[in-house]
Amino acid sequence: MTLPHPLARDLTRQLGPRKVLSTPGERRMYSYDAIQMGVVPVCVVLPESTQDVALAVKAARAAGLPVVGRGAASGLSGGAAPAEPSLVISFTRMTRLSIDAARREAHAQAGVVTLKVSDAARPHGLVYPPDPASFRTSTIGGNLAENAGGPMCFKYGVSGDYVRGLQFVDADGDIHDLTRDAYDLAGLLIGSEGTLGLITEATLRLSTPARYTRTLMSSFARVGDAADAVSRAIAAGAVPAKLEFMDRACVNAIEDYLNIGLPRAAGAVLLVDTDGDDLDTVQEELELVERACTSSGGEVRRAATDADAAALWQARRSVSPALGRIRPQRMNEDIVVPRSVLGEVVREIEALGQASGLKLVQFGHIGDGNLHPNILFDPRTESEEAVHALAHRIASVAIRHGGVLSGEHGIGSMKLPFMAEAVDPVTMSALWDAKHALDPQGRLNPGKVLPSPDGLGGAHD
Ligand SMILES: Cc1cc2nc3c(=O)[nH]c(=O)nc-3n(C[C@H](O)[C@H](O)[C@H](O)COP(=O)(O)OP(=O)(O)OC[C@H]3O[C@@H](n4cnc5c(N)ncnc54)[C@H](O)[C@@H]3O)c2cc1C
């Protein structure tokens, strides 16, 4: 029988057995996220309050162990998968949520599931727009740590745009309450992937939903044509509420899964919503997008009913399960490139995929220039080296076109090897300065986001 780690015994004594998991089977369940296996943690804490989190961080510090925050583990860059033996703090029991309708605010503990914020706001005539496709499972803490986006991000912004205040526990176990003020420390915490502090609560801005929404789907012979249509529509002044792109392989994967009549022969498909409070303006904007699509060679189908529109968006949300049926693993990239080069970039990536012989699928929130080239593979029959080489070539395409490695999924451990190429040495040094200031001993989620000078994750002198 394996004896619990001394930290587990200490935390059980301080927090009680209900909040601590220490058996090998329990700990293993906290060693991975949606994409990557990590190191099995030495112990897991399930806090119910910020004070529990602070106490756990102090205990881990005394034991000389790193701390990894974990929400729903739906992350796609290995962020919540420990890189070394650690204490995992899982926020799933911190689910207190309240709505202040007069202030149009939600107060959410870190473990609140994203969709629940909108569910709670709706009776007050309010919504919480950030809508990652994982919103039925992902948590507010995870969303803020990754600065998650979603189909609505082009018009309505990403998770961080909705934060009015933040509470976090620092590397010493001290509690801070922040507003979006001078130096905007909250802004630094957002998107820092649990490497600068542990977010325990947030005050989130709510908005009123648009009265009217209209939806269209446009199919194109070639991926580049779809990307060109996006550049054209936006250049013409359209600001669609949602603007999503899927290539042929992606459309066919969804069609195999859902069988809802998507155009299998198309090289690529765009899904578009326009919305607003004035129906004429909403229709006019849809027509603007329609014209951009047809002038780029697209065929357009408007959603005739709400149910029709809902089915199209359900198709988009089903991308992940649909791809999971093709190969057991995938390397999920999350590049962002300037919209003016979208066509060129998707064409280049498609050609790289074809040349590699690996199965490559592209989709993404294209309105923001955000693309998710996914390499699908079976590690039993396909070379992981070849997968990494293709991932590297795709990252290089983004960097060469003035883009970045991550729009919303974070760097985690998966994109760490490409960071030195993507970030210039002066900026990298400034990022390390920020890390050292908030986490001098490197105890918060080590091995993520920032590469050490050898190009790998870990400490930096
Ligand atoms: C099917 C599917 C669809 C997805 N679609 C989208 C999408 O449309 N848009 C998008 O942006 N992402 C998407 N994702 C990725 C993922 O859902 C998001 O990154 C999400 O924000 C992660 O939330 P989580 O609660 O699961 O966090 P986790 O995966 O548990 O953690 C993610 C990172 O945040 C850190 N962390 C977690 N909680 C805290 C905290 N309280 N304080 C500090 N750090 C913390 C972790 O250490 C880790 O680095 C998708 C994932 C899946 C599986």
Side-chain angles (χ1 to χ4, degrees), residues 155-314:
K155 180 169 182 181
Y156 291 100
V158 291
S159 303
D161 296 321
Y162 288 83
V163 173
R164 286 208 171 130
L166 208 65
Q167 185 184 65
F168 83 100
V169 171
D170 70 17
D172 290 332
D174 292 327
I175 300 168
H176 303 257
D177 284 292
L178 306 172
T179 49
R180 308 298 302 263
D181 261 330
Y183 290 120
D184 193 11
L185 184 51
L188 187 59
L189 264 284
I190 293 163
S192 67
E193 306 183 31
T195 62
L196 300 179
L198 292 160
I199 296 165
T200 47
E201 286 186 28
T203 301
L204 305 169
R205 183 166 61 84
L206 301 172
S207 48
T208 45
R211 287 181 68 194
Y212 302 103
T213 302
R214 291 294 178 264
T215 303
L216 68 71
M217 176 178 73
S218 184
S219 49
F220 299 82
R222 290 172 295 268
V223 282
D225 296 343
D228 290 339
V230 171
S231 303
R232 247 194 197 126
I234 293 169
V239 187
K242 297 183 186 174
L243 184 43
E244 293 290 309
F245 160 84
M246 298 182 283
D247 74 356
R248 175 183 287 151
C250 187
V251 166
N252 277 279
I254 299 171
E255 199 46 26
D256 289 343
Y257 180 48
L258 295 180
N259 192 20
I260 55 164
L262 295 176
R264 282 184 180 276
V269 157
L270 291 181
L271 286 182
V272 183
D273 266 5
T274 58
D275 75 354
D277 291 336
D278 175 64
L279 185 55
D280 288 342
T281 315
V282 174
Q283 300 273 28
E284 277 164 27
E285 195 167 35
L286 198 74
E287 278 154 27
L288 199 64
V289 175
E290 188 167 334
R291 279 198 296 279
C293 290
T294 46
S295 15
S296 303
E299 273 178 36
V300 173
R301 185 188 116 194
R302 291 191 187 194
T305 61
D306 288 352
D308 199 6
L312 290 175
W313 287 111
Q314 181 52 32

Side-chain angles (χ1 to χ4, degrees), residues 74-156:
S74 70
L76 293 172
S77 58
E84 49 188 271
S86 309
L87 168 68
V88 164
I89 298 187
S90 167
F91 286 91
T92 47
R93 283 191 192 159
M94 288 184 58
T95 54
R96 207 176 56 240
L97 171 67
S98 63
I99 304 294
D100 184 335
R103 289 179 172 228
R104 293 193 178 186
E105 283 175 359
H107 301 277
Q109 278 188 317
V112 168
V113 168
T114 316
L115 181 62
K116 298 235 160 144
V117 180
S118 263
D119 283 349
R122 198 167 300 114
H124 303 277
L126 297 167
V127 284
Y128 176 62
D131 61 341
S134 52
F135 66 174
R136 288 178 204 285
T137 51
S138 69
T139 64
I140 290 298
N143 290 168
L144 298 183
E146 298 286 9
N147 203 5
M152 290 176 77
C153 60
F154 174 55
K155 180 169 182 181
Y156 291 100

